[in-house]
Amino acid sequence: MERKRRQKRYRRLDRAERAAIQNGLERGWSCRRMARELGRSPSTVADEVARNRTVAKGPGKGERVRDVPDDACPKLLSWPRCCNSCRNLRYRCCRRWRREYSAVRAQALADAELRESRIGVDRDEAGFEYAMGLIRCDVARGLSP
């Protein structure tokens, strides 16, 4: 008898999963191993680390990493894209640019991004009335807003 595979509903990573990713990075685990442990896709884990790694040492400390400078450690160009499992652990890194994945910072960044996406667009009175006029016109024609 064949069992139908149910597709799981998408849900955001929670604090425990982010902490598991951080622990896996510090132990030097592969992306696939962490994904297997969490029951997630490997691309989810890789994207999470790449998206939410922060500057740990150097200019812009605590900010999200947008790009990697040329004089940065070569480990930042491939998995794990951060310094968590580096032999020169913590602040003894010989490089000027240190990037790390922190579960606490990643959760704060994800929460801030979600909060900012819910904030409405500020418009003045005239702009608001213009937008509402367009919406009313489209709804009257049978279109969905």
Side-chain angles (χ1 to χ4, degrees):
M1 210 189 295
E2 285 186 41
R3 240 192 298 168
K4 288 186 179 180
R5 289 182 68 188
R6 275 204 232 160
Q7 189 172 6
K8 291 183 180 179
R9 249 183 76 214
Y10 171 78
R11 61 184 174 81
R12 296 178 62 215
L13 290 170
D14 59 12
R15 293 177 200 276
E17 289 173 322
R18 286 190 169 97
I21 290 173
Q22 181 181 352
N23 290 337
L25 286 170
E26 289 170 357
R27 292 178 182 169
W29 287 1
S30 71
C31 175
R32 291 184 184 279
R33 181 174 178 182
M34 283 187 268
R36 215 175 16 254
E37 296 282 327
L38 294 172
R40 295 283 191 153
S41 167
S43 64
T44 301
V45 174
D47 291 346
E48 169 67 17
V49 172
R51 182 184 313 112
N52 290 323
R53 60 190 169 153
T54 55
V55 178
K57 179 180 175 183
K61 182 177 178 180
E63 294 178 6
R64 184 178 273 166
V65 174
R66 296 288 178 210
D67 57 350
V68 179
D70 294 334
D71 61 340
C73 179
K75 286 183 86 173
L76 298 176
L77 301 175
S78 62
W79 179 258
R81 299 189 188 287
C82 59
C83 302
N84 286 48
S85 62
C86 185
R87 288 179 298 148
N88 302 319
L89 193 61
R90 293 290 167 200
Y91 296 95
R92 295 190 310 258
C93 186
C94 62
R95 302 289 179 156
R96 183 173 154 209
W97 306 95
R98 181 168 166 73
R99 311 296 193 238
E100 72 178 2
Y101 179 86
S102 167
V104 173
R105 285 190 199 136
Q107 186 69 40
L109 289 170
D111 289 343
E113 188 174 326
L114 183 64
R115 188 173 40 255
E116 289 169 6
S117 70
R118 293 179 177 161
I119 296 174
V121 177
D122 293 333
R123 292 191 177 253
D124 59 353
E125 190 69 30
F128 177 75
E129 287 301 324
Y130 175 74
M132 287 306 296
L134 291 175
I135 291 171
R136 284 188 197 107
C137 180
D138 288 343
V139 169
R141 289 186 358 207
L143 299 174
S144 172

